Amino acid sequence: MSTTQSRLTGSANDPRIKARYRKEKRFKAYTIAALFTAFAIIVAFFTDIISQGYTAFWRAEVNVTLDYNERAERIGRFALAEDMRDIASRGAVRSIPLEIKNNPELAGITRQAWVPAYSRIDQYLKGREELPPELARQVDAMVEAGTIRSSFNWAFFTSGDSKLPELAGIFSAAVGSILVLFVTLVFAFPIGVMSAIYLEEFAPDNKLTQAIEVNINNLAAVPSIIFGLLGLAVFIGTFGVPRSSALVGGLTLGLMTLPIIIISTRAALRAVPDPIRLGAFAMGCSRWQVVRDHVLPLSLPGILTGTIIGLAQAMGETAPLIIVGMIAYIPDAPSSIFESATVLPAQVFTWASEPRKAFVEKTAAGIIVLLAILLTLNATAVFLRRKFERRW
């Protein structure tokens, strides 16, 4: 067969077809390699974070004798025997003077108690830090004697931030995150959904609405720190919202989440077939009745999915919250949206900037908790979409 005939018939012997098949195979190999590379990076990331952070869920505790003597009434450290002062955490005894003041009957008594060990001791037992030889021998002897034990670190989930890594926890940051997401949802969800309904169902197709649509799409791609600057200027500078509060953090993240909710809501509304609208109009329904009773209920699963994904993205944001002051040291959980608060990403950022090795473990543990929450939110969005999604 001649070259001209092979070109006309598309023969497999045509050099151009062979070259095309080779390119196709190379492209397929590149995509498979990219997939495996991405998977390897994700596995390496999770392996590194989990290996560094899982040990934070356990902590070393030491059995000590607490002596409520006269010196301990002034400085709680003196309630410990001298050889225990470098082993037990300072935070375990710093409240003793207040205890004696509030309960005078404690003066002069002694009692046994399990208290958190000093962070260096905890890290030594986990194989991450070295101790002076004499202190190391003392700790090893106490481990053999059973006066040092490892227990689940409930304090990591029930206490707030602390300058002492063995006492630091995520409770105050978790409460702050809940309050911030609540404000974000209350602010962004109704405004975003109603804006999307107007643009999709009621607004005329003119230059003004086209400009609004373009700007909404552009806002979805704006760096998050810009929204932080906007929140600082508008909510704090103009309206006087308390700095570092969950209210200003939620409003700022609400601005960032609005474009995502509007875009996802419009997509959900657009997915409802036109015959449903036309059928409702044929039955004499007004445009508002069509939207309220037919279009909106059918599009609600898609709206909820987009909203949850938007909240998950807001949950992981740090830059805009740093701008509005939510990077402060918050040892106690806020009781309202007007009090100073911090959030989990900001707490992780704070721990990552600490020089002590024990905070590296806390940082990784905080990332594990944050990832678990984000994965849960995304899994919820996928579940809702699959459970309530309708195919037309």
Side-chain angles (χ1 to χ4, degrees):
M1 182 181 295
S2 65
T3 304
T4 303
Q5 289 177 329
S6 65
R7 289 178 180 176
L8 292 175
T9 59
S11 172
N13 295 322
D14 188 340
R16 293 182 302 175
I17 294 180
K18 289 181 178 180
R20 189 192 312 164
Y21 287 157
R22 286 195 298 269
K23 290 180 181 180
E24 181 180 346
K25 290 180 180 179
R26 285 198 300 269
F27 182 74
K28 183 178 180 180
Y30 294 154
T31 57
I32 294 175
L35 178 63
F36 277 102
T37 302
F39 180 74
I41 292 173
I42 292 174
V43 170
F45 169 75
F46 276 95
T47 301
D48 180 64
I49 292 298
I50 293 174
S51 64
Q52 291 190 55
Y54 81 96
T55 53
F57 302 124
W58 284 264
R59 70 176 182 182
E61 294 182 343
V62 55
N63 187 266
V64 297
T65 299
L66 297 178
D67 184 5
Y68 292 83
N69 52 55
E70 293 181 1
R71 299 177 70 188
E73 293 182 21
R74 293 179 286 107
I75 302 176
R77 197 73 173 160
F78 290 115
L80 293 171
E82 188 172 353
D83 61 340
M84 289 290 105
R85 293 173 190 172
D86 291 331
I87 297 179
S89 170
R90 297 195 308 272
V93 292
R94 63 186 175 188
S95 63
I96 285 182
L98 183 61
E99 291 180 19
I100 297 176
K101 181 179 178 180
N102 294 335
N103 302 281
E105 65 275 8
L106 293 176
I109 69 170
T110 60
R111 67 182 181 90
Q112 295 292 122
W114 286 96
V115 299
Y118 183 44
S119 61
R120 289 188 62 193
I121 306 299
D122 181 68
Q123 293 297 297
Y124 167 75
L125 294 174
K126 293 173 181 176
R128 294 182 173 174
E129 192 166 342
E130 296 294 330
L131 294 176
E134 184 177 347
L135 182 58
R137 286 193 294 270
Q138 181 184 355
V139 171
D140 292 338
M142 294 180 67
V143 171
E144 293 180 5
T147 54
I148 291 183
R149 69 181 183 183
S150 178
S151 63
F152 189 78
N153 190 6
W154 292 107
F156 182 75
F157 300 97
T158 60
S159 62
D161 195 13
S162 174
K163 296 299 182 183
L164 302 174
E166 64 269 19
L167 300 181
I170 62 170
F171 181 71
S172 59
V175 173
S177 295
I178 293 172
L179 293 176
V180 167
L181 287 182
F182 172 76
V183 175
T184 301
L185 180 63
V186 171
F187 173 68
F189 183 75
I191 296 178
V193 172
M194 287 188 290
S195 300
I197 290 174
Y198 174 76
L199 290 173
E200 193 64 29
E201 301 291 338
F202 295 95
D205 186 11
N206 53 34
K207 291 184 178 180
L208 176 61
T209 56
Q210 291 173 4
I212 292 174
E213 292 174 2
V214 170
N215 281 279
I216 289 174
N217 292 329
N218 289 336
L219 283 174
V222 170
S224 60
I225 196 169
I226 302 300
F227 290 100
L229 295 172
L230 184 62
L232 178 65
V234 176
F235 299 126
I236 296 178
T238 303
F239 294 103
V241 178
R243 188 181 179 90
S244 303
S245 65
L247 178 59
V248 70
L251 293 174
T252 302
L253 293 182
L255 291 177
M256 189 190 73
T257 310
L258 262 177
I260 299 174
I261 294 179
I262 293 174
I263 293 171
S264 61
T265 300
R266 293 192 65 187
L269 294 171
R270 201 177 295 121
V272 178
D274 285 337
I276 292 178
R277 296 178 175 85
L278 297 176
F281 282 128
M283 296 298 293
C285 295
S286 65
R287 182 175 291 275
W288 166 237
Q289 289 174 325
V290 171
V291 173
R292 183 192 63 190
D293 299 331
H294 301 278
V295 177
L296 192 58
L298 293 175
S299 62
L300 191 59
I303 296 173
L304 291 178
T305 300
T307 301
I308 293 173
I309 292 175
L311 290 178
Q313 179 180 349
M315 179 75 182
E317 286 294 338
T318 306
L321 300 182
I322 293 176
I323 299 297
V324 298
M326 294 194 70
I327 197 68
Y329 171 70
I330 308 293
D332 299 319
S335 58
S336 72
I337 60 175
F338 302 101
E339 296 182 5
S340 295
T342 189
V343 292
L344 282 172
Q347 184 68 79
V348 170
F349 176 82
T350 301
W351 285 342
S353 61
E354 292 286 345
R356 280 176 284 184
K357 290 184 179 180
F359 277 113
V360 175
E361 180 185 69
K362 296 288 183 180
T363 301
I367 293 173
I368 291 174
V369 173
L370 184 59
L371 285 174
I373 295 173
L374 294 178
L375 291 174
T376 301
L377 288 174
N378 282 279
T380 302
V382 172
F383 171 77
L384 291 175
R385 185 180 66 217
R386 290 185 175 180
K387 183 174 178 62
F388 298 105
E389 185 180 29
R390 293 190 180 186
R391 298 188 180 275
W392 308 101

